[in-house]
Amino acid sequence: GPCLFEPADYKKAEQVFQQVWRAEPHRVEGLEWYSTALWHLHKDVELGFLAQQVLQGNRMKPQVWCVVGNCFSLQKEHDTALKFFRRALQVDPAFTYAYTLCGHEFASNDKFDKAIPMYQTALTIDPRHYNAWFGLGNIYHRQEEHEHAEHHFLKALEINRNNSVLRCYLGQVLDALDKPLHALENFKLAAKGEPPNGMAYFQKARVLINLCRFEEALEALKRVRCLAPKEAQVHFLLGKVYMELKRDRNALEHFNIAMDLNRDSKDYHTIKTKIEQLKHVAELQDPEPTPLPPPSEGPPAMSRRSGGGPGPDNRLELSHLLLPAGSSVGGSPHPRQHGGGRGYHAGSGRPSAGGAGASPPGQWPPQGSHGAHAGYPGAGGYYR
């Protein structure tokens, strides 16, 4: 079980832990890892059942209370989870993992001042407890103290070299430190791990886009799409890459998928702006032929002044086709230019991509989502 748990292969680890649990239902050693594997897999029903079962056994074991705490943590009841993790420490003050789990819950509530001492205490008891090194690195990463974050992630990787999630976090920090090639190397190593890590491919694609290596970014994003076909940010990035490659039809397809998946998000309008931008470019490149006025019944009206040509009605109908954009017969602005101006799309009255208020490049996926299960497409992004 632990051999599969350490490299973050939670599905296989769960199967092994489950077999051990069925063979020895009174065994508590390893239950803290079993419950954490269920936490990562979002299996709330199985985790709830496990918590009920272990509470019927020996309550003087810290592993029991870690299982119960993980159960409440998965339900995002962080304060209740903290009570049970502290109960585990009351039962055994030297139980390292309980300190780390307390730190994770404090970090989930953005109480970094309380989380840091928990991680430090865990490392005082066991300096090779890489989970605590990760916890400290994650806090510094979220506080944008990237040099400190790099140090702590490297310490975690010295202990657990085969964990692709840890390597992805290190890559993100290196990218933030303007070391894109070093970051790319870490994402490539993480992508080679098993099971396939969607976060590794996604972050690899972001770095490749910033390096203008769009063909390579496209291949990485296709891998992410296979792992997480319903992630809006993946389709959004695919659309951006296809735009750079001048494959507008593919770009429009993925922007539309992203918009359908993201209708309730604040990023809906960002996606819609990209779609309108594509349509605008398509109109400039392939303008539709100017429609001719419908033929009137009978001979056309003749002007008495000229002795021929269109009459007053036809002259008025044709005049708006000959006027420049932005003007009209009556002197009011042309409808397509309403709300226009630099940085705005015609007719929208809101900023476009590249205009004021638009999402700057590289800000997708949205920043600031540091919840317990946020972080990357296709898997739980927060490590425990």
Side-chain angles (χ1 to χ4, degrees), residues 229-232 235 256-264:
K230 294 185 178 181
E231 286 289 343
H235 289 283
N256 278 318
I257 295 173
M259 190 165 65
D260 289 340
L261 293 171
N262 225 28
R263 287 192 178 277
D264 297 329

Side-chain angles (χ1 to χ4, degrees), residues 62-366:
Q63 294 91 339
V64 170
W65 300 109
C66 286
V67 172
V68 180
N70 271 334
C71 181
F72 281 97
S73 176
L74 186 55
Q75 303 299 327
K76 293 185 172 56
E77 298 183 28
H78 302 299
D79 293 334
T80 306
L82 270 168
K83 293 178 182 178
F84 289 111
F85 293 142
R86 282 172 168 163
R87 175 62 179 157
L89 293 173
Q90 289 177 345
V91 171
D92 184 358
F95 193 68
T96 310
Y97 193 42
Y99 288 103
T100 299
L101 291 174
C102 283
H104 290 337
E105 296 308 310
F106 281 127
S108 296
N109 287 332
D110 294 333
K111 297 180 179 178
F112 301 140
D113 56 327
K114 295 183 178 180
I116 289 174
M118 288 293 177
Y119 294 133
Q120 290 173 337
T121 303
L123 291 172
T124 300
I125 299 171
D126 181 7
R128 291 187 57 79
H129 188 61
Y130 68 89
N131 311 72
W133 285 112
F134 162 79
L136 287 169
N138 186 50
I139 287 177
Y140 291 127
H141 177 38
R142 289 169 62 178
Q143 293 178 330
E144 299 186 2
E145 297 181 27
H146 300 303
E147 291 83 0
H148 289 90
E150 180 187 9
H151 168 75
H152 288 85
F153 286 146
L154 283 171
K155 296 290 285 187
L157 277 167
E158 286 176 8
I159 302 165
N160 187 358
R161 292 183 178 274
N162 297 323
N163 193 299
S164 62
V165 179
L166 294 177
R167 197 163 289 282
C168 279
Y169 274 92
L170 175 61
Q172 291 180 68
V173 167
L174 291 171
D175 189 32
L177 289 171
D178 200 21
K179 300 177 182 178
L181 296 180
H182 289 90
L184 188 60
E185 193 62 35
N186 277 277
F187 292 138
K188 286 180 178 178
L189 289 172
K192 293 178 181 178
E194 289 292 336
N197 189 333
M199 179 185 184
Y201 288 108
F202 184 77
Q203 297 296 341
K204 175 184 173 182
R206 288 183 65 250
V207 175
L208 288 169
I209 290 170
N210 291 335
L211 294 173
C212 297
R213 292 160 61 175
F214 300 113
E215 290 288 354
E216 295 175 70
L218 180 60
E219 291 303 314
L221 286 170
K222 286 180 178 179
R223 295 294 301 270
V224 187
R225 183 186 58 186
C226 294
L227 297 170
K230 294 185 178 181
E231 286 289 343
Q233 57 262 57
V234 176
H235 289 283
F236 182 82
L237 273 188
L238 275 166
K240 290 180 69 176
V241 170
Y242 278 124
M243 278 187 72
E244 295 291 344
L245 295 173
K246 308 300 181 185
R247 295 165 63 178
D248 293 346
R249 186 180 296 275
N250 297 103
L252 187 60
E253 175 188 352
H254 285 284
F255 283 143
N256 278 318
I257 295 173
M259 190 165 65
D260 289 340
L261 293 171
N262 225 28
R263 287 192 178 277
D264 297 329
S265 169
K266 63 182 180 180
D267 302 297
Y268 174 82
H269 292 297
T270 306
I271 305 170
K272 192 173 180 180
T273 299
K274 283 289 184 184
I275 293 174
E276 292 177 356
Q277 184 179 348
L278 266 179
K279 290 180 178 178
H280 181 63
V281 171
E283 288 174 2
L284 292 176
Q285 292 177 348
D286 188 22
E288 295 182 2
T290 302
L292 294 175
S296 59
E297 296 183 4
M302 305 297 290
S303 170
R304 293 182 179 179
R305 292 186 180 180
S306 62
D313 292 339
N314 281 338
R315 184 167 61 247
L316 180 63
E317 187 172 358
L318 288 173
S319 64
H320 77 277
L321 300 175
L322 305 176
L323 291 171
S327 61
S328 69
V329 176
S332 61
H334 194 280
R336 289 176 61 86
Q337 296 296 324
H338 175 66
R342 186 170 183 177
Y344 281 80
H345 279 292
S348 69
R350 70 173 183 280
S352 67
S359 298
Q363 288 295 313
W364 190 283

